[in-house]
Amino acid sequence: MNTEAQNHGGARAGAGRKKNSGKFKENTKVMRVPASLVDTVKSTLEVYKSQLKSDVVVSLPADNAADITTPIFTSRVQAGFPSPADDHLEGRLDLNKYLIHHREATFFVRAQGESMLGAGIHPGDILVVDKSLIAKSGKIVIAVVDGEFTVKRLHKYKGNITLKAENPEFDDIVISEGSELIIWGVVTSVIHQYA
Amino acid sequence: MPKSNQQKFALVDCNNFYASCERVFDPKLEREPIVVLSNNDGCVIARSNEAKALGIKMGVPYYQVKDLMIDKSVVIKSSNYPLYGDMSSRVMSIVGEYAPVQEVYSIDESFLDLSGLMVNLNTHMQALKNQVKSWTGVPVCIGIGHTKVRAKLANRIAKIYPRFNGVFDIDVLPDNRFEKLLASVDVGDIWGVGSKSALKLNRVGITTALNFYKADIGIIETLLGVNGKRIYRELYGHSCLAIEEVAPARRQIVSSRSFGTDLSTFDEINQALTALTRKAVNKLNKQSLATTSMSVFICTNPFKKNVPCINLSKTIGMSAPISNEKLLIPLCAKLLKQIYEPGYRFYKGGVTLGNLTLDKSQQDLFVVNDKSTQLSDQPYGHLLRYASELGNDRWLPRAEFQSNRFTTHWNELLSV
């Protein structure tokens, strides 16, 4: 027992905490953590510690858990046969994805008036408008003529621009030299509700 | 000075953001002077260039410039935060596509870390500018520099001089031109130098950004501490301020507002504060936070002459973090009862939840979550009210000139 080392200071054999007896039951390391993540790291460790104690596996939800909508199982866990559909799980159809191709550039606009009845646009309908698209001749557009909004079909021919109504009772708008035309967006769909 | 392998940052800033949002949905306003008023139509908080040219200053009370604005047919808008917020998220989402790292700095500003991108940065940023404009209708200007402070300065140049077409890289300036530019900038206009710091610097004769740039770094550090030193070094092109990808955790949540009219009875004030508390608790829950201190304040209008200027407040600490409105709303009423004094006309009030921590009760799977019994979690929760919220709604803010919430309410869509 009385070795030389013990008489001259330094670590004694068998002294200190037992190996892996700490909170985490394994070796730990010191590291730098960005200040903004301190709380996140701490809470992760808290959860990990409680797991070690209780032997229950708990996983932390991701920060953006709300965005993750993928279901993991469709059938409930129960005695019996699993749903034969589990292996063929697909996302449910989403109208947003179908109608909106550029999320940041898409706006909904309420149609007024009957000048575009022929194109299937009724008063009160909701138009899906994409501002990112280039307005080619023949597209239905939201235009601004001298500061006023209008929805018409765009016609470009030999440098002349006409905004055509799709209802014989309405006149076309011929863009003359003095007037200012801005194409605000291109109409990609019409939503017409019956009930 | 700057070496070619240095970092590169961009600051993307929307031009007169609130006024620009209004113009997207009302193109007639394109060249008109526009002024946007704060909550409750109190002060001027945003101006179009045309309104700036008329000499309407930022922050002035509405009544002081009302006559001038009517005289010059200035278009007046109440602030429309649902609209500005949605337009901002569209802009920021596009901006984020142009660099691997983005910091959304405010509702209308975003930093990008462009370091290491193997593209012509000027062309790249021109494309960004054009895409934001055509997709959302909002015009932006972009400043590029080796540091955030320099990028911010560059943005200023991009805004002032149309010949740069909205994008300016400050690092291309030769030293003498750079210094000439600094001479034209007030020291208080350097990003990070606040008005208090500017005052300290002015006292020792540092009034322009050039004075600051030429000053001894020791003096700057003595006066402004380590932050001042960082800004100084940033100005010289040494990056000290990194992009903050994650917004720093909130230390407190404040929910306050001027009442629509002055309120004097306890019940009316309590009604207003209950609604404000619910708003604060909603924010708290959204971020999975809990609070351990709550403050309540009410005050009279400091701008009104011949009226005593009263500011009453009280703070209470809690033994354990709570996040439940069933506990916080009665607490707010209790605090109000202690500070309320009859006989005054209170014009503003608010609630602060401080000392925020992560809400443990939300993480623990084995604790029965008592939040499910909160009003807002029940079906139609948004329609339910606490009894203390019931009343005549006189406290709701004035928003006389608000445009439609075009992108967030089906019944307020743009009509064409």
Side-chain angles (χ1 to χ4, degrees):
Chain A
M1 284 291 278
N2 282 332
T3 63
E4 204 181 336
Q6 209 177 355
N7 294 330
H8 291 86
R12 278 172 295 160
R17 242 188 246 167
K18 252 187 226 155
K19 216 176 185 183
N20 300 343
S21 67
K23 287 182 249 183
F24 299 111
K25 299 176 182 163
E26 60 179 300
N27 275 343
T28 56
K29 268 189 170 174
V30 178
M31 72 179 281
R32 285 187 173 275
V33 171
S36 59
L37 292 179
V38 166
D39 284 342
T40 317
V41 172
K42 272 190 184 163
S43 62
T44 310
L45 292 179
E46 282 302 315
V47 172
Y48 181 68
K49 256 193 305 191
S50 67
Q51 279 179 31
L52 288 177
K53 263 188 215 155
S54 59
D55 291 326
V56 176
V57 177
V58 186
S59 65
L60 262 190
D63 251 7
N64 52 354
D67 292 343
I68 301 165
T69 48
T70 324
I72 300 168
F73 294 109
T74 44
S75 53
R76 290 181 198 169
V77 178
Q78 53 182 272
F81 296 100
S83 161
D86 268 352
D87 289 342
H88 305 276
L89 196 60
E90 292 177 353
R92 193 173 292 166
L93 296 175
D94 182 351
L95 259 185
N96 277 315
K97 281 188 192 144
Y98 186 70
L99 297 178
I100 299 175
H101 305 290
H102 305 103
R103 224 162 38 92
E104 296 88 355
T106 300
F107 295 84
F108 299 126
V109 169
R110 182 85 60 184
Q112 267 180 332
E114 305 190 330
S115 70
M116 291 301 280
L117 277 183
I121 298 175
H122 298 74
D125 285 356
I126 289 172
L127 309 177
V128 181
V129 180
D130 191 332
K131 274 176 79 68
S132 74
L133 300 179
I134 293 167
K136 293 184 188 140
S137 189
K139 295 280 177 200
I140 296 177
V141 298
I142 305 291
V144 182
V145 182
D146 295 326
E148 298 291 341
F149 278 112
T150 181
V151 53
K152 293 285 179 295
R153 197 181 290 276
L154 179 71
H155 264 265
K156 292 188 205 169
Y157 184 69
K158 287 187 177 168
N160 296 319
I161 297 177
T162 310
L163 296 172
K164 288 195 172 263
E166 301 243 333
N167 183 341
E169 288 171 34
F170 287 79
D171 290 332
D172 296 343
I173 303 172
V174 181
I175 304 300
S176 57
E177 222 157 81
S179 56
E180 187 189 41
L181 168 75
I182 298 165
I183 302 296
W184 196 85
V186 174
V187 178
T188 56
S189 319
V190 185
I191 301 169
H192 181 81
Q193 282 183 303
Y194 296 97
Chain B
M1 276 270 308
K3 285 162 281 168
S4 57
N5 60 353
Q6 270 176 318
Q7 284 178 278
K8 275 283 196 183
F9 296 91
L11 175 68
V12 184
D13 190 1
C14 302
N15 304 351
N16 310 315
F17 180 58
Y18 295 176
S20 295
C21 289
E22 299 288 349
R23 280 174 172 159
V24 171
F25 297 92
D26 191 353
K28 270 202 298 289
L29 305 180
E30 198 48 51
R31 280 170 287 271
E32 303 291 326
I34 307 175
V35 152
V36 180
L37 302 176
S38 62
N39 262 337
N40 207 24
D41 296 345
C43 309
V44 172
I45 52 162
R47 304 155 298 158
S48 70
N49 284 341
E50 297 77 6
K52 287 176 191 170
L54 290 173
I56 298 166
K57 293 269 178 293
M58 194 74 173
V60 291
Y62 169 47
Y63 68 86
Q64 277 183 18
V65 284
K66 194 173 171 181
D67 292 341
L68 171 77
M69 292 203 286
I70 291 170
D71 191 40
K72 304 278 184 192
S73 19
V74 174
V75 177
I76 301 165
K77 292 283 181 185
S78 304
S79 41
N80 186 347
Y81 287 110
L83 178 67
Y84 308 152
D86 176 66
M87 292 302 281
S88 168
S89 75
R90 290 167 187 257
V91 171
M92 294 309 169
S93 156
I94 297 168
V95 171
E97 296 289 315
Y98 279 77
V101 185
Q102 176 188 26
E103 173 187 352
V104 176
Y105 180 68
S106 71
I107 192 167
D108 57 354
E109 289 170 288
S110 178
F111 283 106
L112 291 176
D113 188 344
L114 303 175
S115 313
L117 287 190
M118 306 302 276
V119 292
N120 179 321
L121 292 183
N122 210 306
T123 321
H124 192 52
M125 291 296 101
Q126 285 288 354
L128 163 55
K129 190 197 87 164
N130 294 337
Q131 192 188 339
V132 173
K133 173 70 184 169
S134 74
W135 284 41
T136 68
V138 174
V140 298
C141 277
I142 301 166
I144 307 172
H146 286 308
T147 65
K148 286 166 95 176
V149 167
R150 286 173 74 97
K152 184 96 185 175
L153 207 55
N155 194 281
R156 215 181 137 92
I157 311 301
K159 280 227 173 71
I160 298 175
Y161 301 103
R163 67 189 144 108
F164 296 118
N165 209 5
V167 178
F168 182 68
D169 183 343
I170 203 166
D171 301 331
V172 302
L173 280 185
D175 283 0
N176 60 335
R177 293 275 306 282
F178 181 62
E179 289 184 10
K180 208 174 139 194
L181 161 68
L182 292 181
S184 71
V185 176
D186 284 343
V187 70
D189 286 340
I190 302 175
W191 186 55
V193 178
S195 54
K196 270 187 197 156
S197 305
L199 224 56
K200 278 188 207 163
L201 293 165
N202 287 346
R203 265 186 232 127
V204 298
I206 298 173
T207 56
T208 69
L210 183 63
N211 296 152
F212 183 85
Y213 187 67
K214 290 286 182 192
D216 183 78
I217 190 167
I219 293 177
I220 301 295
E221 193 178 5
T222 316
L223 285 173
L224 306 185
V226 67
N227 271 328
K229 197 167 133 187
R230 284 199 187 116
I231 295 162
Y232 183 89
R233 289 177 52 78
E234 282 251 323
L235 211 47
Y236 273 92
H238 306 285
S239 179
C240 307
L241 304 167
I243 291 265
E244 291 179 28
E245 278 182 82
V246 194
R250 297 178 89 135
R251 275 180 215 102
Q252 57 176 32
I253 288 172
V254 184
S255 174
S256 75
R257 121 179 312 175
S258 343
F259 307 134
T261 54
D262 292 349
L263 304 177
S264 34
T265 72
F266 177 83
D267 284 343
E268 276 183 326
I269 298 171
N270 192 29
Q271 181 203 348
L273 288 183
T274 303
L276 290 173
T277 307
R278 284 188 73 189
K279 241 175 92 180
V281 174
N282 263 335
K283 283 188 200 162
L284 196 69
N285 291 338
K286 258 191 203 147
Q287 303 179 61
S288 305
L289 297 170
T291 178
T292 52
S293 86
M294 183 186 211
S295 310
V296 168
F297 81 89
I298 45 175
C299 62
T300 58
N301 192 342
F303 292 113
K304 256 190 194 153
K305 284 173 194 141
N306 313 321
V307 173
C309 184
I310 303 277
N311 194 339
L312 306 169
S313 71
K314 181 140 187 115
T315 304
I316 191 169
M318 298 147 204
S319 53
I322 52 176
S323 57
N324 190 323
E325 66 180 16
K326 276 197 304 190
L327 300 171
L328 288 167
I329 285 173
L331 199 58
C332 167
K334 215 163 142 187
L335 287 169
L336 179 63
K337 213 166 257 168
Q338 292 179 26
I339 58 175
Y340 171 72
E341 285 190 35
Y344 295 108
R345 301 164 61 80
F346 293 99
Y347 111 112
K348 190 176 178 176
V351 175
T352 305
L353 304 178
N355 224 341
L356 304 181
T357 59
L358 282 179
D359 190 355
K360 293 276 160 44
S361 69
Q362 290 200 345
Q363 294 186 336
D364 195 334
L365 292 175
F366 304 104
V367 164
V368 178
N369 195 340
D370 61 350
K371 258 191 290 301
S372 58
T373 55
Q374 294 194 188
L375 278 189
S376 47
D377 286 344
Q378 293 175 9
Y380 307 109
H382 59 289
L383 298 175
L384 299 178
R385 293 283 179 272
Y386 277 85
S388 56
E389 274 179 277
L390 296 178
N392 56 18
D393 283 339
R394 275 210 310 154
W395 69 277
L396 279 172
R398 274 183 306 238
E400 236 179 285
F401 317 106
Q402 198 182 68
S403 44
N404 286 0
R405 294 165 292 180
F406 296 104
T407 59
T408 53
H409 284 70
W410 287 112
N411 50 0
E412 296 185 23
L413 296 182
L414 178 68
S415 269
V416 168

